[in-house]
Amino acid sequence: MSLFGLKFGKKKLKEEERQLQANNRDFNLQFEYANNSIKTSKYNFFTFLPLNLFEQFQRIANAYFLFLLILQLIPQISSLAWFTTVVPLVLVLAVSGVKDAIDDFNRHKSDKHVNNRPVQVLINGMLKEQKWMNVQVGDIIKLENNNFVTADLLLLSSSEPHSLTYIETAELDGETNLKVKQALTVTAELGEDLQKLTEFNGEIRCEAPNNKLDKFTGTLTLRGEKYALDNEKMLLRGCTIRNTEWCFGLVIYAGPDTKLMQNSGKTTFKRTSIDRLMNVLVLMIFAFLALMCLILAIGNGIWEHDKGYYFQVYLPWAEGVNSASYSGFLMFWSYVIILNTVVPISLYVSVEIIRLGNSFYIDWDRKMYYPANDTPAQARTTTLNEELGQIKYIFSDKTGTLTQNIMCFNKCSINGKSYGDVYDMSGQRIEINENTQKVDFSYNPLADPKFAFYDRSLVEAVRLNDVPTHRFFRLLSLCHTVMPEEKKEGNLVYQAQSPDEGALVTAARNFGFVFRARTPETITVVEMGETKVYKLLAILDFNNVRKRMSVIVRSPEGDLTLYCKGADTILYELLHPSCNSLKEETTEHLNEFAGEGLRTLVVAYKSLEEDYFQGWIRRHHEASTALEGREDKLSELYEEIEKDLMLLGATAIEDKLQDGVPQTIETLAKANIKIWVLTGDKQETAMNIGYSCNLLNDDMEEVFIVEGSTSDDVLNELRNARKKMKPDSFLDSDEINIQFEKSSKKQIIIPDEQANGVYGLVITGHSLAYALEGNLELELVRTACMCKVVICCRVTPLQKAQVVELVKKYKKAVTLAIGDGANDVSMIKTAHIGVGISGQEGMQAVLSSDFSFAQFRYLQRLLLVHGRWSYIRMCKFLKYFFYKNFAFTLVHFWYGFFSGFSAQTVYDEWFITLYNLVYTSLPVLGMSLFDQDVDDRWSMLFPQLYVPGQQNLYFNKVVFVKCMLQGIYSSLILFFIPYGAMYNTMRSDGKAIADYQSFALMAQTCLLIVVSVQIGLDTSYWTVVNQFFIWGSLSVYFAITFTMYSDGMYLIFTASFPFIGTARNTLSQPNVWLAIFLSIALCVLPVVGFRFLKAQLKPTPSDKVLLKIKEAKKRPPPPSPKRRLRRTSTRRSGYAFSHQHGFGALIMSGRNMRPKSPFATTGTFSPNSDKYKHKGL
């Protein structure tokens, strides 16, 4: 049983193997498997108060103030009233508690939303609608098209032939292409017969819950027979059912045991580097406080021994004090109470208010609002703002984060002529935008209305019956594994296993070669209005080694032709020598396409002789039925027939990037931010996007590819890369190598190393698995961090988190992870800052994130504007706050030497209470909420301004010591100038002014004016609010002082307001104001002089940029650069094709086809369809 949300009792044993029975809840309950509810919240109604207070008192300062409160309740040592501590402490705890409660309430809300989704569960022979949270291991559930998969299921049966089920796994691995799963034949027979499904009592034994997305082993025992289970029969939570009317599944893992949740990582309590630094500084201040109190206590002991002992008639010792040493002991604690304001509790209240205010700026920023789906930016966590100004590494997902999940046929090269560009009358190329006129395809009744193309010359070539052009589009309409659906006449939609193929077949369709229907033996194409049926004789399937696919067809005229498409690097080796001149022209076009970041494929054909083909197909049949070496034999046959191909041309598909991605990446790179792309996609696709979004470019010295299949291979590849980038890094004299040798168990922090050029690194998932092992991880970090860009492809969600954790572990840098799918949740949770992109692959990433918005391009504004401002404001606030409190508190220390170390306060008690809460709180808040050294436009134009934040230059231990020394200096001035001015002084009427109350008033007035002038010097951006707060605070001080020191207040509250008449008597004297002016001059002039000389003689890079901006402001602003980033490319393949091996065999077998219709599914494909634009919740 759980009590108040906490479970007591014996600890659950680690699961070694899972055993369950279908439709037998009683049997399955004995194992106490997790049900399907998920929980990301931290508290419940009963545990909130104790747990939250426990968390808050882990902050050193809060525990210290509680200790101080206890001291103040002891009469013998209390020198200040208890309310001076208890009120601010309760306020701090309440503000933080309310914020935590709101955050946790939102987590409860999102958990409730997911857990309360409906699903149909088979109970007692009937399908009943249940909530997701009530689904248990062993239940059989029914899913329908476009449903999210509820839990990790064993597929039992489906509406499709042979119980195939199509799923989209974008939330798990980032891939948008469809995958196919197939049930066991023995369970496929169950169909949707509820009676048979209810009687199904199979027993499953399988592996314990784990995070391996691509692996599952188990057995099904049914009627005494055992059947092997693997990953091809599993539907995982996080997938979406596509193009399948219904399917039934048996729940194997539920809730936290599902592979998605196992990959999602733990929610960690994130704290900023400034938070961690403040904890260290607070400890330093405590030590300084203890030292001051010790000095004063020793002083008190000596004074009481030498003077006070003989002075007891006039000043008797307190009750219970019988020795000078005991008096000194008590004074130690009294001074702890008096001097505690060096760490005022209002510091933490102010920090929370500043963070909250800066979070609202993010929420309210209209330039980060995305009107297309009504999504504003959102600061989901309000405690990490200043960390946004210190980011050094960004870890980004690819699919849906950098790209839109939309593929468009953009350009092509046919018979040496390039198509796709638009030219004006003078022959100049025009940049295509939303105003460019599209080609009109209305003459083609079967055209896809959403298809857009701009070059009319290609349509003209088709309509003029140009033979190579016709052959090109005929190839695109025949060589693929797309399935068509035509429920209404002319309303044709494609279900494509990969979006690339969908885009190519749609292009052929619009240009008059419409792929209309398919059977296992035929392909029906409408060519320029004429229906032709081609016999499909063989599909030579795609795989990652071949990097090509071919079909062999017989035309209605009886001609045998092989059509092939694939990577240029592969197909060029297979071409007939007569194609050499065409190859050169096509290569030029391919280079241009690759330079623009387009995904390219080369297409070729070959006419076959009948006799040769008959012999080949016979050998093909023998190879495909061979029991041993089947793959090798088929591969040899494919190689044999795919020779002497005739080149037709090349296609160029655009994997549409989100708006502004290349520009954003370019700007962030100028800010010295390194970007790593972590994607589940293939290497070619990932690299292609790398080039198209300007991460990789042809000016780089080299892009290293690490794809070793053993630990030694990976180590050698990484070392070879490092040797090229920095040969000196292998010398014994290298700083890091020396550090490794010296290091014991202490954590190693690797400093930044400069490579001898600009490099990129691409590493595959299986190589990364080796590189993340203990002995290789240091090599990986050193090599990868020297590169400007790192791309990790084919990585699992957990590997994404491990890469982030690795950089956090070995580099003193702040990390940010950005993604949009459930597969990004673990890295979002692991990074210092997690950013979710909303509206692409669902909401899981957003729910786990600290900040969210709709477009990747908003990241530059989040970091360079909001992050930088937040960081600068927080640093200025802390510097000023520590300064003003050292100046305020240390006056007590100097006064101790003139007051017999008696713990007498310098200031009036009311001034001590109101100093931080009223007199100095609003001006510093005004600066911390509104200050900006430059506006947002200049922040974006000069990304170099971001660099000081990465290096933590504005607030660190050295800066703190400077603030401390400035505070000590000011306290000396603020004590000794008023002391000297008051010493033996007469008023103008001859009466004495040298009394304690006049001195106290003068000292506190000097202090307040000095700190007000100081904040004026620190403010870069003046607003009405700043002016009002500073002048208003001074006015309030004088109003309260004259009121509290008036005769009326003394008569009403005699004991509370003893300073009767002091204000009007003291502040009416000219020599007092002269002393105040002298104090201000001596405190402020050294600061002004130091800042001026530093800016002139030793300017920082930031000072230089600010000077440039100052000069630029005098000139008209430059127009925003609106250019499309185009490059000429050296020879580099732009090949990318997100296809899955096995679909060719599936089509030829006919197992995925219904007898009555070509392919009756409920899903659709269009390259611009809504399904591919917005997926998820």
Side-chain angles (χ1 to χ4, degrees), residues 155-158 160-164 182-193 196-197 200 246:
L155 178 62
L156 297 178
S157 61
S158 84
E160 303 308 294
H162 301 273
S163 280
L164 296 176
Q182 184 173 13
L184 284 168
T185 310
V186 69
T187 62
E189 295 165 357
L190 301 171
E192 56 181 333
D193 187 326
K196 284 183 182 176
L197 285 162
F200 177 70
W246 53 260

mmCIF file of all heavy atoms in Angstrom, residues 155-158 160-164 182-193 196-197 200 246:
data_model
loop_
_atom_site.group_PDB
_atom_site.id
_atom_site.type_symbol
_atom_site.label_atom_id
_atom_site.label_comp_id
_atom_site.label_asym_id
_atom_site.label_seq_id
_atom_site.Cartn_x
_atom_site.Cartn_y
_atom_site.Cartn_z
ATOM 1 N N LEU A 155 2.077 -7.710 -31.452
ATOM 2 C CA LEU A 155 1.036 -7.649 -32.480
ATOM 3 C C LEU A 155 0.413 -9.036 -32.659
ATOM 4 O O LEU A 155 1.122 -10.011 -32.898
ATOM 5 C CB LEU A 155 1.657 -7.165 -33.796
ATOM 6 C CG LEU A 155 0.728 -7.082 -35.005
ATOM 7 C CD1 LEU A 155 -0.394 -6.095 -34.764
ATOM 8 C CD2 LEU A 155 1.524 -6.681 -36.254
ATOM 9 N N LEU A 156 -0.918 -9.099 -32.532
ATOM 10 C CA LEU A 156 -1.624 -10.385 -32.674
ATOM 11 C C LEU A 156 -2.254 -10.534 -34.048
ATOM 12 O O LEU A 156 -2.127 -11.571 -34.693
ATOM 13 C CB LEU A 156 -2.700 -10.515 -31.583
ATOM 14 C CG LEU A 156 -2.207 -10.548 -30.131
ATOM 15 C CD1 LEU A 156 -3.389 -10.627 -29.174
ATOM 16 C CD2 LEU A 156 -1.278 -11.740 -29.911
ATOM 17 N N SER A 157 -2.953 -9.476 -34.480
ATOM 18 C CA SER A 157 -3.622 -9.557 -35.788
ATOM 19 C C SER A 157 -3.932 -8.141 -36.251
ATOM 20 O O SER A 157 -3.915 -7.198 -35.463
ATOM 21 C CB SER A 157 -4.920 -10.369 -35.675
ATOM 22 O OG SER A 157 -5.814 -9.738 -34.774
ATOM 23 N N SER A 158 -4.224 -8.014 -37.567
ATOM 24 C CA SER A 158 -4.561 -6.684 -38.077
ATOM 25 C C SER A 158 -5.480 -6.805 -39.272
ATOM 26 O O SER A 158 -5.718 -7.898 -39.789
ATOM 27 C CB SER A 158 -3.285 -5.918 -38.460
ATOM 28 O OG SER A 158 -2.871 -6.265 -39.761
ATOM 29 N N GLU A 160 -4.889 -5.740 -42.214
ATOM 30 C CA GLU A 160 -4.145 -5.869 -43.475
ATOM 31 C C GLU A 160 -3.865 -7.346 -43.800
ATOM 32 O O GLU A 160 -3.829 -8.189 -42.905
ATOM 33 C CB GLU A 160 -2.823 -5.105 -43.386
ATOM 34 C CG GLU A 160 -2.989 -3.632 -43.058
ATOM 35 C CD GLU A 160 -3.969 -2.945 -43.986
ATOM 36 O OE1 GLU A 160 -3.664 -2.843 -45.192
ATOM 37 O OE2 GLU A 160 -5.054 -2.534 -43.519
ATOM 38 N N PRO A 161 -3.640 -7.657 -45.077
ATOM 39 C CA PRO A 161 -3.317 -9.049 -45.449
ATOM 40 C C PRO A 161 -2.087 -9.534 -44.672
ATOM 41 O O PRO A 161 -1.140 -8.780 -44.450
ATOM 42 C CB PRO A 161 -2.993 -8.936 -46.957
ATOM 43 C CG PRO A 161 -3.684 -7.700 -47.399
ATOM 44 C CD PRO A 161 -3.683 -6.766 -46.242
ATOM 45 N N HIS A 162 -2.120 -10.766 -44.272
ATOM 46 C CA HIS A 162 -1.042 -11.412 -43.520
ATOM 47 C C HIS A 162 -0.721 -10.680 -42.218
ATOM 48 O O HIS A 162 0.394 -10.738 -41.718
ATOM 49 C CB HIS A 162 0.222 -11.537 -44.384
ATOM 50 C CG HIS A 162 0.003 -12.319 -45.639
ATOM 51 N ND1 HIS A 162 0.126 -13.685 -45.696
ATOM 52 C CD2 HIS A 162 -0.366 -11.913 -46.883
ATOM 53 C CE1 HIS A 162 -0.145 -14.095 -46.922
ATOM 54 N NE2 HIS A 162 -0.452 -13.045 -47.658
ATOM 55 N N SER A 163 -1.712 -9.956 -41.697
ATOM 56 C CA SER A 163 -1.567 -9.225 -40.429
ATOM 57 C C SER A 163 -0.357 -8.304 -40.409
ATOM 58 O O SER A 163 0.369 -8.218 -39.425
ATOM 59 C CB SER A 163 -1.511 -10.205 -39.246
ATOM 60 O OG SER A 163 -2.812 -10.623 -38.920
ATOM 61 N N LEU A 164 -0.149 -7.610 -41.527
ATOM 62 C CA LEU A 164 0.875 -6.554 -41.543
ATOM 63 C C LEU A 164 0.300 -5.308 -40.875
ATOM 64 O O LEU A 164 -0.911 -5.063 -40.934
ATOM 65 C CB LEU A 164 1.261 -6.213 -42.984
ATOM 66 C CG LEU A 164 1.931 -7.315 -43.814
ATOM 67 C CD1 LEU A 164 2.140 -6.840 -45.231
ATOM 68 C CD2 LEU A 164 3.258 -7.720 -43.200
ATOM 69 N N GLN A 182 4.763 -7.456 -38.597
ATOM 70 C CA GLN A 182 3.911 -8.571 -39.008
ATOM 71 C C GLN A 182 3.706 -9.522 -37.835
ATOM 72 O O GLN A 182 4.655 -9.866 -37.115
ATOM 73 C CB GLN A 182 4.541 -9.320 -40.187
ATOM 74 C CG GLN A 182 3.637 -10.434 -40.705
ATOM 75 C CD GLN A 182 4.184 -11.074 -41.973
ATOM 76 O OE1 GLN A 182 5.337 -10.851 -42.331
ATOM 77 N NE2 GLN A 182 3.361 -11.862 -42.650
ATOM 78 N N ALA A 183 2.463 -9.918 -37.639
ATOM 79 C CA ALA A 183 2.122 -10.832 -36.549
ATOM 80 C C ALA A 183 2.505 -12.265 -36.920
ATOM 81 O O ALA A 183 2.690 -12.602 -38.099
ATOM 82 C CB ALA A 183 0.626 -10.748 -36.261
ATOM 83 N N LEU A 184 2.616 -13.115 -35.892
ATOM 84 C CA LEU A 184 2.815 -14.551 -36.129
ATOM 85 C C LEU A 184 1.588 -15.123 -36.845
ATOM 86 O O LEU A 184 0.461 -14.678 -36.605
ATOM 87 C CB LEU A 184 2.972 -15.278 -34.782
ATOM 88 C CG LEU A 184 4.303 -15.142 -34.048
ATOM 89 C CD1 LEU A 184 4.147 -15.675 -32.632
ATOM 90 C CD2 LEU A 184 5.404 -15.905 -34.780
ATOM 91 N N THR A 185 1.823 -16.094 -37.683
ATOM 92 C CA THR A 185 0.707 -16.708 -38.422
ATOM 93 C C THR A 185 -0.327 -17.285 -37.459
ATOM 94 O O THR A 185 -1.538 -17.169 -37.676
ATOM 95 C CB THR A 185 1.237 -17.833 -39.339
ATOM 96 O OG1 THR A 185 2.326 -17.318 -40.086
ATOM 97 C CG2 THR A 185 0.153 -18.336 -40.273
ATOM 98 N N VAL A 186 0.151 -17.875 -36.365
ATOM 99 C CA VAL A 186 -0.757 -18.532 -35.417
ATOM 100 C C VAL A 186 -1.676 -17.527 -34.715
ATOM 101 O O VAL A 186 -2.815 -17.855 -34.373
ATOM 102 C CB VAL A 186 0.058 -19.367 -34.387
ATOM 103 C CG1 VAL A 186 0.862 -18.449 -33.454
ATOM 104 C CG2 VAL A 186 -0.844 -20.276 -33.575
ATOM 105 N N THR A 187 -1.204 -16.289 -34.545
ATOM 106 C CA THR A 187 -2.082 -15.283 -33.916
ATOM 107 C C THR A 187 -2.846 -14.498 -34.980
ATOM 108 O O THR A 187 -3.916 -13.949 -34.699
ATOM 109 C CB THR A 187 -1.277 -14.303 -33.036
ATOM 110 O OG1 THR A 187 -0.340 -13.604 -33.860
ATOM 111 C CG2 THR A 187 -0.545 -15.027 -31.932
ATOM 112 N N ALA A 188 -2.290 -14.423 -36.193
ATOM 113 C CA ALA A 188 -2.973 -13.694 -37.273
ATOM 114 C C ALA A 188 -4.342 -14.290 -37.552
ATOM 115 O O ALA A 188 -5.272 -13.591 -37.944
ATOM 116 C CB ALA A 188 -2.116 -13.718 -38.535
ATOM 117 N N GLU A 189 -4.458 -15.600 -37.317
ATOM 118 C CA GLU A 189 -5.736 -16.289 -37.561
ATOM 119 C C GLU A 189 -6.849 -15.790 -36.641
ATOM 120 O O GLU A 189 -8.027 -15.980 -36.913
ATOM 121 C CB GLU A 189 -5.555 -17.797 -37.351
ATOM 122 C CG GLU A 189 -4.608 -18.439 -38.365
ATOM 123 C CD GLU A 189 -4.151 -19.834 -37.928
ATOM 124 O OE1 GLU A 189 -4.540 -20.257 -36.815
ATOM 125 O OE2 GLU A 189 -3.411 -20.481 -38.699
ATOM 126 N N LEU A 190 -6.482 -15.134 -35.531
ATOM 127 C CA LEU A 190 -7.499 -14.648 -34.589
ATOM 128 C C LEU A 190 -8.334 -13.529 -35.206
ATOM 129 O O LEU A 190 -9.496 -13.336 -34.835
ATOM 130 C CB LEU A 190 -6.834 -14.126 -33.302
ATOM 131 C CG LEU A 190 -5.965 -15.131 -32.525
ATOM 132 C CD1 LEU A 190 -5.200 -14.423 -31.422
ATOM 133 C CD2 LEU A 190 -6.837 -16.239 -31.934
ATOM 134 N N GLY A 191 -7.719 -12.771 -36.150
ATOM 135 C CA GLY A 191 -8.446 -11.691 -36.827
ATOM 136 C C GLY A 191 -9.045 -10.725 -35.834
ATOM 137 O O GLY A 191 -8.409 -10.327 -34.860
ATOM 138 N N GLU A 192 -10.323 -10.337 -36.093
ATOM 139 C CA GLU A 192 -11.009 -9.476 -35.120
ATOM 140 C C GLU A 192 -12.170 -10.232 -34.463
ATOM 141 O O GLU A 192 -13.123 -9.628 -33.976
ATOM 142 C CB GLU A 192 -11.489 -8.182 -35.794
ATOM 143 C CG GLU A 192 -12.374 -8.366 -36.997
ATOM 144 C CD GLU A 192 -12.789 -7.031 -37.614
ATOM 145 O OE1 GLU A 192 -12.833 -6.020 -36.877
ATOM 146 O OE2 GLU A 192 -13.102 -7.009 -38.814
ATOM 147 N N ASP A 193 -12.069 -11.560 -34.445
ATOM 148 C CA ASP A 193 -13.073 -12.408 -33.799
ATOM 149 C C ASP A 193 -12.889 -12.304 -32.283
ATOM 150 O O ASP A 193 -11.941 -12.863 -31.709
ATOM 151 C CB ASP A 193 -12.889 -13.852 -34.275
ATOM 152 C CG ASP A 193 -14.009 -14.763 -33.781
ATOM 153 O OD1 ASP A 193 -14.493 -14.522 -32.657
ATOM 154 O OD2 ASP A 193 -14.368 -15.702 -34.508
ATOM 155 N N LYS A 196 -12.574 -15.635 -30.326
ATOM 156 C CA LYS A 196 -11.260 -16.288 -30.419
ATOM 157 C C LYS A 196 -10.209 -15.526 -29.612
ATOM 158 O O LYS A 196 -9.357 -16.114 -28.939
ATOM 159 C CB LYS A 196 -10.814 -16.360 -31.888
ATOM 160 C CG LYS A 196 -11.515 -17.422 -32.724
ATOM 161 C CD LYS A 196 -10.929 -17.432 -34.134
ATOM 162 C CE LYS A 196 -11.638 -18.454 -35.012
ATOM 163 N NZ LYS A 196 -11.141 -18.398 -36.402
ATOM 164 N N LEU A 197 -10.274 -14.191 -29.689
ATOM 165 C CA LEU A 197 -9.302 -13.370 -28.960
ATOM 166 C C LEU A 197 -9.454 -13.542 -27.449
ATOM 167 O O LEU A 197 -8.477 -13.556 -26.700
ATOM 168 C CB LEU A 197 -9.470 -11.887 -29.336
ATOM 169 C CG LEU A 197 -8.933 -11.489 -30.726
ATOM 170 C CD1 LEU A 197 -9.526 -10.165 -31.170
ATOM 171 C CD2 LEU A 197 -7.398 -11.393 -30.699
ATOM 172 N N PHE A 200 -7.934 -16.765 -26.363
ATOM 173 C CA PHE A 200 -6.474 -16.820 -26.545
ATOM 174 C C PHE A 200 -5.787 -16.763 -25.175
ATOM 175 O O PHE A 200 -5.961 -15.815 -24.412
ATOM 176 C CB PHE A 200 -6.021 -15.639 -27.413
ATOM 177 C CG PHE A 200 -4.521 -15.564 -27.606
ATOM 178 C CD1 PHE A 200 -3.850 -16.507 -28.384
ATOM 179 C CD2 PHE A 200 -3.775 -14.558 -26.991
ATOM 180 C CE1 PHE A 200 -2.480 -16.433 -28.564
ATOM 181 C CE2 PHE A 200 -2.407 -14.481 -27.173
ATOM 182 C CZ PHE A 200 -1.756 -15.411 -27.949
ATOM 183 N N TRP A 246 -7.337 -1.437 -38.355
ATOM 184 C CA TRP A 246 -7.344 -1.846 -36.946
ATOM 185 C C TRP A 246 -6.272 -2.900 -36.724
ATOM 186 O O TRP A 246 -5.804 -3.549 -37.646
ATOM 187 C CB TRP A 246 -8.723 -2.397 -36.526
ATOM 188 C CG TRP A 246 -9.251 -3.509 -37.410
ATOM 189 C CD1 TRP A 246 -10.159 -3.396 -38.403
ATOM 190 C CD2 TRP A 246 -8.859 -4.915 -37.389
ATOM 191 N NE1 TRP A 246 -10.382 -4.607 -39.027
ATOM 192 C CE2 TRP A 246 -9.598 -5.567 -38.406
ATOM 193 C CE3 TRP A 246 -7.988 -5.664 -36.609
ATOM 194 C CZ2 TRP A 246 -9.481 -6.920 -38.662
ATOM 195 C CZ3 TRP A 246 -7.863 -7.029 -36.868
ATOM 196 C CH2 TRP A 246 -8.606 -7.637 -37.876
#
